[in-house]
Amino acid sequence: SAPVATIGTEAVSAQDPRVVLDIAVLNYLLRVEYVQAEMYREGLLDFTTPARIRQFDAYGGSPTLEQLQSLYEQDLSHQEILRTLITRLGGVPLPRCTVTFTRFATAQNMMQTAFAIENIGVSAYLGVVPLVRIPQVQTAIPAIGTVESRHSAYIGILNGQCPAPVAAD
């Protein structure tokens, strides 16, 4: 089959075990991004009435809701990057998962959930780094992972958490 990538100077096909592993890793990260984006999508829809929006006053008000919308849009962009990489490597991106979140009763519930899910994302990106072999993937994963860490730090600060509780992950 036709080469889909190179490792060093070696052209590799979609059947190469290194490519198969990288596709699996990318699909794993895609699943994480699906969950993150869905949490923001549903959460933002839960806070559209004036009384519900006022719950975010403790977190900075409307500018925070606008920033959460931006995080949602970045997660959608991450999905597109991951799907494109998977396709270029000859793989099939996982379909959107059917995860749903119960209506968030309070802004605090949403922000605590966002912090947990963002931290899962940071851990996922960090955890897969030693597994990947294709240079394009080796570049993309940390590029997205650092953005995920900023998402986590931002949400953490709003939740009164230290954005970097330890010197190294």
Side-chain angles (χ1 to χ4, degrees), residues 23 36 69 106 132 149:
I23 291 169
Q36 288 178 330
Q69 177 69 33
T106 65
V132 295
S149 69

Side-chain angles (χ1 to χ4, degrees), residues 110-123:
M110 180 181 170
M111 295 302 284
Q112 288 173 345
T113 302
F115 188 54
I117 288 176
E118 289 293 358
N119 279 316
I120 289 167
V122 172
S123 295

Side-chain angles (χ1 to χ4, degrees), residues 55-116:
Q55 289 189 29
F56 273 89
D57 287 352
Y59 296 97
S62 292
T64 298
L65 285 167
E66 291 169 16
Q67 186 60 45
L68 295 177
Q69 177 69 33
S70 177
L71 300 185
Y72 166 64
E73 290 167 5
Q74 288 178 9
D75 286 337
L76 293 177
S77 179
H78 296 164
Q79 290 175 21
E80 189 55 37
I81 291 165
L82 295 169
R83 280 195 298 268
T84 298
L85 277 169
I86 292 164
T87 302
R88 284 185 186 163
L89 292 175
V92 177
L94 289 175
R96 293 193 189 283
C97 54
T98 57
V99 65
T100 57
F101 290 83
T102 307
R103 185 170 192 260
F104 291 107
T106 65
Q108 182 180 20
N109 293 144
M110 180 181 170
M111 295 302 284
Q112 288 173 345
T113 302
F115 188 54

